[in-house]
Amino acid sequence: MARICVNVLVGIPASGKTSYCQKLIALPCRQFEVVHICYDLYIKIDQQYDTFRDEVGLYKTRRQMLLSFVDAIIAALKENDHAKLNTMSSNWKEAFDHGIEISPRTDPKDIVFLIDDNNYYRSMRWEWMKLARKHSLGYFETYFDTPLQIALKRNQKRSSPIHMDVIERMWTRLEKPCGKLFTYEQHFIAVEEHMNIDTIVAKILHSFQYPLDVPTPLEVSAPMEQSKIHRVDIILRKTVSKRIATVKDSMSKAELQTHVNMLQERKRCILEQIRLGGKDFPEEMMQVLVEELF
């Protein structure tokens, strides 16, 4: 039976997700097949879909439909049911206007599903984690730790660039994977500007060998003590001040004000993540945790 791994990509536009997928697909002599699930290809934008992908309207329904299709395809692969797989592939093309490149094999081969979307809300990733546990699949997240300014410069070089405000707003809301705060997010690797393909392949092979097989409910924690929230807020304020100090001499007054507003929004989102986090943590970890999330 083929072993299957789900690799969920996390990152703002122009952070390197496409290059990551292309390098894995083009990798010579790889020991596994790659199924590329590119949301931009399969899910069309409707009028209720706002500029930074809040989960509303038809867009949310289409996301759920895509997840259900992948669920059925994985079930067919695990059962080695060629007829069901052919049917699902045909239905996929009809539902999403583009086909999915996956073929029945008489010699089962390991398969990694690349879930290529921004996946910037933790709730989006949680749905794929549940699917992996349901089918006892390998699972890990790849977080693209690309500085905002680098992503913005890359975006401008695209043939169809995304509006800068969209990327900036998405950056402020992105919930970075954090195993320290959410125990179910232990399985992730961070990719910076220079990608190490050997490390990625090793993580995929490890995930094949050690699938997730114990259903774990989403943890619900008691509200954090107000005194801790206050101390985290102080650390966040200092972090924002340091970020502002590093750029204030290179920006105009208007640019600096926009940047400050963006950092303040990022601060607010991170404070909310920590307040609602999946577990408590000692005070000596506060500084490190804030830096990781920011």
Side-chain angles (χ1 to χ4, degrees), residues 8-140:
V8 175
L9 311 189
V10 184
I12 60 177
S15 59
K17 299 185 296 297
T18 299
S19 296
Y20 177 96
C21 295
Q22 290 173 343
K23 287 185 178 182
L24 279 176
I25 291 169
L27 189 67
C29 303
R30 51 181 160 79
Q31 305 171 45
F32 48 84
E33 290 191 16
V34 175
V35 178
H36 185 199
I37 307 296
C38 180
Y39 273 62
D40 288 342
L41 179 63
Y42 295 126
I43 299 182
K44 304 302 180 184
I45 299 173
D46 74 304
Q47 292 182 353
Q48 297 184 55
Y49 167 69
D50 85 350
T51 55
F52 40 87
R53 295 193 176 188
D54 276 336
E55 295 182 82
V56 295
L58 180 59
Y59 182 68
K60 182 177 180 179
T61 302
R62 298 286 286 177
R63 290 183 67 93
Q64 292 172 337
M65 181 188 300
L66 187 148
L67 181 72
S68 297
F69 266 76
V70 175
D71 188 347
I73 286 172
I74 286 173
L77 286 168
K78 290 183 71 69
E79 297 163 5
N80 203 25
D81 188 335
H82 292 188
K84 182 177 179 182
L85 187 57
N86 285 331
T87 299
M88 289 307 304
S89 296
S90 177
N91 291 345
W92 178 290
K93 186 171 184 178
E94 182 177 344
F96 299 107
D97 298 328
H98 294 274
I100 180 172
E101 293 187 18
I102 181 167
S103 303
R105 297 177 61 95
T106 55
D107 55 330
K109 188 176 183 180
D110 295 337
I111 303 170
V112 57
F113 281 77
L114 299 180
I115 311 304
D116 183 4
D117 188 31
N118 299 304
N119 289 306
Y120 61 96
Y121 285 140
R122 196 163 279 111
S123 59
M124 295 174 173
R125 282 122 57 185
W126 174 247
E127 293 300 317
W128 290 105
M129 165 75 83
K130 289 194 295 183
L131 181 145
R133 291 195 180 278
K134 173 184 175 180
H135 292 289
S136 297
L137 311 178
Y139 176 90
F140 72 100

Side-chain angles (χ1 to χ4, degrees), residues 149-166:
Q149 293 306 315
I150 290 178
L152 291 173
K153 288 179 181 178
R154 289 178 181 172
N155 178 63
Q156 291 304 312
K157 296 178 182 179
R158 289 176 162 180
S159 57
S160 300
I162 299 171
H163 198 283
M164 184 175 67
D165 288 349
V166 175

